[in-house]
């Protein structure tokens, strides 16, 4: 510790970092005070209905269907990949499946930086898929 303090002005750097960290803690305290019961209820509903049963069901239906339609392999993302916002793969292309209903609410995860395929459930129990971002990416992928 003495070496770091002497060589790199460690005490000053620690104090600066502690100040920035404390400011962020204060910001979080203020943000937490803005959370309402309705916000929590909406988040839990989304988690239970759209991130679990319906979300996984959509992935299991839509990804293989897109793979067949586009004549390429498909696979569901691993739990680690899902934590990064990736729903699955078409060939080597990662994609994110996102419900149009979910997309109207607050973002619950970081943007994975991959094409997003939007879907909505139809009255007949199927899915309507909008894949403009994916089409553009696959065209670029095929031309390389």
């Amino acid at each position: 510790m003495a070496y770091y303090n002497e060589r790199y002005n460690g005490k000053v750097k620690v104090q600066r970092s502690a100040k920035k960290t404390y400011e962020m803690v204060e910001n979080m305290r203020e943000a937490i005070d803005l959370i309402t019961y309705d916000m929590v209820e909406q988040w839990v509903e989304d988690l239970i209905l759209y991130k679990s049963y319906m979300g996984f069901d959509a992935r299991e239906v839509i990804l293989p269907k897109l793979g067949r339609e586009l004549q390429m392999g498909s696979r569901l993302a691993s739990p680690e990949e899902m934590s990064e916002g990736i729903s699955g793969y078409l060939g080597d292309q990662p994609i994110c499946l996102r419900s149009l209903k979910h997309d109207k609410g607050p973002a619950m995860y970081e943007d994975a930086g991959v094409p997003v395929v939007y879907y909505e459930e139809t009255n007949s129990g199927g899915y309507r898929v909008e894949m403009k971002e994916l089409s553009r990416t696959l065209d670029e992928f095929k031309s390389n």
Side-chain angles (χ1 to χ4, degrees):
M1 189 162 122
Y3 174 80
Y4 178 74
N5 286 340
E6 291 173 20
R7 176 105 176 165
Y8 297 104
N9 199 14
K11 285 185 179 184
V12 171
K13 289 184 177 182
V14 167
Q15 289 172 346
R16 283 184 197 153
S17 295
K19 182 179 179 197
K20 287 181 182 180
T21 302
Y22 186 76
E23 288 170 359
M24 290 306 298
V25 168
E26 288 298 312
N27 288 339
M28 286 188 286
R29 281 188 184 134
E30 290 174 19
I32 286 171
D33 287 340
L34 298 175
I35 296 172
T36 65
Y37 178 84
D38 290 339
M39 292 168 72
V40 172
E41 185 177 44
Q42 181 181 7
W43 180 82
V44 170
E45 179 181 302
D46 181 70
L47 177 67
I48 292 171
L49 297 178
Y50 299 101
K51 293 280 200 248
S52 55
Y53 172 73
M54 288 177 71
F56 285 111
D57 184 51
R59 289 185 327 127
E60 292 172 1
V61 171
I62 294 171
L63 278 167
K65 175 73 173 167
L66 286 176
R68 286 190 301 274
E69 293 288 324
L70 297 170
Q71 299 179 347
M72 57 178 44
S74 66
R75 75 169 177 85
L76 298 176
S78 68
E80 293 82 19
E81 292 164 332
M82 285 183 62
S83 72
E84 296 172 6
I86 297 171
S87 301
Y89 288 81
L90 292 170
D92 291 333
Q93 176 63 57
I95 65 167
C96 173
L97 286 175
R98 195 173 292 168
S99 165
L100 284 170
K101 179 178 173 31
H102 173 267
D103 200 54
K104 291 176 185 167
M108 297 296 195
Y109 48 84
E110 292 295 318
D111 182 3
V114 300
V116 176
V117 173
Y118 293 96
Y119 69 90
E120 66 182 344
E121 193 166 352
T122 64
N123 291 336
S124 62
Y127 294 99
R128 186 185 71 77
V129 176
E130 188 270 284
M131 49 188 262
K132 292 176 191 167
E133 289 184 34
L134 179 63
S135 297
R136 185 171 39 252
T137 302
L138 289 175
D139 288 342
E140 293 167 5
F141 181 73
K142 288 178 184 176
S143 67
N144 289 335

